[in-house]
Amino acid sequence: MREQIKIIRQRMSCMTAGERVSYIITYYWYHILGMAALLFLPVFLAVHVAGAMERTEFTCVLVNQAIDYERDDELGERLADWLGLKASLVEVDSDYNISYGDVQLDGVNESSYEKFFFKWNNKELDAVILPESFYEYCKELGGSFRDLQEFETGDLPLYEDSGTIVGVRIEETGLLNDLSNETGEVLLLVFPESADRMEYCQSFLDYIQEAS
């Protein structure tokens, strides 16, 4: 290695600063790239390992509501405080404007549809706030929801489907203060059957009762 460095210095001894830079980039770019990769790899692994260890504990998505990231963050922080979790472990996301059936929205990001059902199938959705028609659409696709009789719902206004209590009527609770329901439909809070963090779902219901 020392001999190689000596040879390089001899070759560049009569070059200007600009010529030296050009020479190094031309003949040793792969060495530079390799060194950069070696330096970057530990940082990359550290970030991803830390991210994997800090798994989101509660996720609530809002379907076909005004996309407002600031509102989402504020609601997520309040909810995290209520749940006793770090704010980074609670996700509230309104980036789910979806066209379906007879409901066709202008300018929607089609990837939101795939993202929603991917998260559902991957058991990443704990709570969903959605219009009644999208609830029916999910049922047509085979989606199922938890019976709210499994929870303590107090005086919350409940939504019944074929004799089963499956949701909370958000427009009749204090949580509507955080939303601007522009769909004109009944707005529901539901828990997908795949949601397995029951204690946080119950705490979310408690939070809504407190807000009401």
Side-chain angles (χ1 to χ4, degrees):
M1 177 61 73
R2 290 181 179 177
E3 187 64 27
Q4 189 175 18
I5 293 174
K6 182 179 179 182
I7 293 172
I8 293 171
R9 285 178 175 173
Q10 289 174 348
R11 290 176 179 174
M12 295 192 303
S13 60
C14 297
M15 297 181 183
T16 64
E19 289 173 338
R20 290 175 181 175
V21 171
S22 178
Y23 177 84
I24 291 172
I25 293 175
T26 301
Y27 294 100
Y28 297 99
W29 62 269
Y30 46 90
H31 292 88
I32 297 171
L33 187 63
M35 289 296 294
L38 287 174
L39 292 172
F40 176 73
L41 184 60
V43 176
F44 177 83
L45 291 175
V47 169
H48 280 72
V49 168
M53 292 175 62
E54 195 171 67
R55 175 174 176 263
T56 300
E57 291 291 335
F58 187 82
T59 298
C60 175
V61 303
L62 285 57
V63 176
N64 289 359
Q65 298 302 299
I67 298 176
D68 185 338
Y69 300 123
E70 183 176 352
R71 183 270 320 279
D72 295 348
D73 289 343
E74 290 177 358
L75 179 55
E77 288 173 4
R78 294 202 306 270
L79 184 56
D81 185 62
W82 180 270
L83 298 177
L85 295 170
K86 291 170 55 179
S88 60
L89 300 181
V90 175
E91 178 184 5
V92 176
D93 189 1
S94 59
D95 192 12
Y96 288 89
N97 281 0
I98 299 173
S99 292
Y100 56 94
D102 295 331
V103 177
Q104 297 298 313
L105 307 179
D106 295 328
V108 300
N109 185 349
E110 295 182 0
S111 66
S112 291
Y113 183 98
E114 286 78 12
K115 182 173 69 169
F116 177 84
F117 288 105
F118 175 81
K119 281 183 171 289
W120 187 322
N121 290 330
N122 205 35
K123 299 183 178 181
E124 295 180 39
L125 294 182
D126 298 296
V128 183
I129 295 175
L130 40 59
E132 185 178 25
S133 63
F134 191 65
Y135 163 79
E136 294 292 343
Y137 180 76
C138 291
K139 280 178 53 184
E140 291 174 9
L141 296 180
S144 57
F145 304 88
R146 287 199 174 277
D147 185 344
L148 263 61
Q149 290 183 349
E150 302 176 44
F151 302 95
E152 296 287 339
T153 55
D155 297 326
L156 288 173
L158 304 176
Y159 179 83
E160 187 174 316
D161 182 6
S162 301
T164 302
I165 300 172
V166 294
V168 174
R169 294 176 177 268
I170 290 299
E171 75 275 10
E172 299 175 29
T173 72
L175 191 59
L176 191 64
N177 296 329
D178 292 299
L179 307 174
S180 55
N181 184 14
E182 300 171 357
T183 67
E185 295 187 53
V186 173
L187 195 60
L188 305 174
L189 164 68
V190 296
F191 302 124
E193 186 69 41
S194 59
D196 58 2
R197 288 170 281 204
M198 300 283 287
E199 68 279 13
Y200 292 137
C201 294
Q202 177 63 63
S203 292
F204 190 27
L205 291 171
D206 296 340
Y207 173 82
I208 296 172
Q209 291 184 68
E210 182 71 17
S212 302

